Amino acid sequence: MVCIELEPWIEKQIPPNLVDHFKNLRKDQLALQKRVIIEDHPSLSRISLVAGCDVSYFSNGDACAGIAVLEIPSLTQVEYVFYIYTPKIDYVPTFLAYREAPGIVEAYKKLQNKPDLIVVDGNGILHPHKLGIASHLGIILNKPTIGVAKRLLIGSFDEQILLENKFSPVMYKNQEIGAAVVTNQSYKPIYISPGNLLSIQTARSLISRYTRQRLPEPIRLADKLTRDTVKDLE
DNA sequence: GCGACAG
DNA sequence: ATCTTGTCGC
């Protein structure tokens, strides 16, 4: 019994025989979304370790999920773990978590130093149903998370305000779901949104502290380490 | 009306 | 995400 309708533009990217499965995944997302909390958690006042996570792929399709833990405020690496697995589904917009979160959770279990905050490569509530991979992980791990994407999934923002203030709210269905932010000498914005346990403002504020180039250091490091791991193992 | 579309 | 050369800028 599947009583859920997928958006047409998303459904047309799913193999016919898997549509029902994705409808169940959507049902799962809607349930998880109800547990998301967009309010600053008390623990955020004493952050000493921040993690960045990312997933790279082998030529055979297998994935390598990696997590880098950085010390605050030095932003120096204190630990790196990775987990190799075979993704259960191909990439489909709005369902990224079901492809990458399982591997990230396994890698997380291997961490010796549990972080106070996790920065995820992807979106938080900047998602059609406010449950991007960062929010998904935030619920599963019960930890404050922030989503940072390089491209806009949905919504819109004011280009003028972005250039004037270095950031602009991303709106979707008349609601603020994140922020477009320009960092340093990059005209190309990044899109920040809270995953879980913090506000949009706090997410922006924290990310700015961890950013030196276009992308925040936790993400850059996780991306590099995970990519090097794949290269070394191939 | 046409196209957009995290990684 | 990944496949890839030369090329522009700090």
Side-chain angles (χ1 to χ4, degrees), chain A residues 153-218:
Chain A
L153 174 60
I154 48 137
S156 60
F157 61 92
D158 190 305
E159 199 76 47
Q160 300 302 332
I161 292 181
L162 172 64
L163 299 181
E164 293 171 9
N165 307 321
K166 297 307 179 186
F167 79 90
S168 176
V170 170
M171 306 298 289
Y172 180 66
K173 290 185 175 178
N174 207 36
Q175 282 204 79
E176 186 176 350
I177 57 175
V181 177
V182 285
T183 56
N184 299 326
Q185 272 62 62
S186 183
Y187 285 75
K188 213 173 179 181
I190 59 175
Y191 306 91
I192 301 172
S193 62
N196 191 31
L197 301 174
L198 41 54
S199 66
I200 294 180
Q201 291 74 9
T202 301
R204 248 193 342 101
S205 169
L206 290 174
I207 291 301
S208 71
R209 295 185 207 177
Y210 312 146
T211 304
R212 291 182 163 172
Q213 315 255 304
R214 185 168 95 99
L215 294 170
E217 293 304 303

Side-chain angles (χ1 to χ4, degrees), chain A residues 12-72:
Chain A
K12 77 178 186 186
Q13 298 186 51
I14 301 173
N17 60 313
L18 296 180
V19 172
D20 274 0
H21 181 239
F22 276 85
K23 285 185 176 179
N24 283 320
L25 295 184
R26 178 70 87 217
K27 192 186 301 179
D28 185 52
Q29 285 185 317
L30 300 180
L32 287 177
Q33 151 59 26
K34 294 176 182 172
R35 299 164 57 188
V36 173
I37 298 176
I38 305 303
E39 283 178 16
D40 295 334
H41 185 92
S43 66
L44 295 172
S45 61
R46 38 189 169 74
I47 297 176
S48 56
L49 294 178
V50 171
C53 58
D54 189 30
V55 177
S56 288
Y57 295 85
F58 292 90
S59 53
N60 71 356
D62 280 356
C64 173
I67 301 178
V69 177
L70 291 68
E71 184 180 74
I72 300 301

Side-chain angles (χ1 to χ4, degrees), chain A residues 29 94 97 122-127 129-137 195:
Chain A
Q29 285 185 317
T94 75
N123 295 304
I125 62 173
L126 202 170
H127 178 280
H129 297 286
K130 296 186 189 314
L131 197 84
I133 188 171
S135 296
H136 192 114
L137 284 169

Side-chain angles (χ1 to χ4, degrees), chain A residues 53 101 104-105 120 132-143 145:
Chain A
C53 58
I104 294 174
V105 170
V120 184
I133 188 171
S135 296
H136 192 114
L137 284 169
I139 291 302
I140 289 181
L141 303 175
N142 186 37
K143 178 81 62 177
T145 56

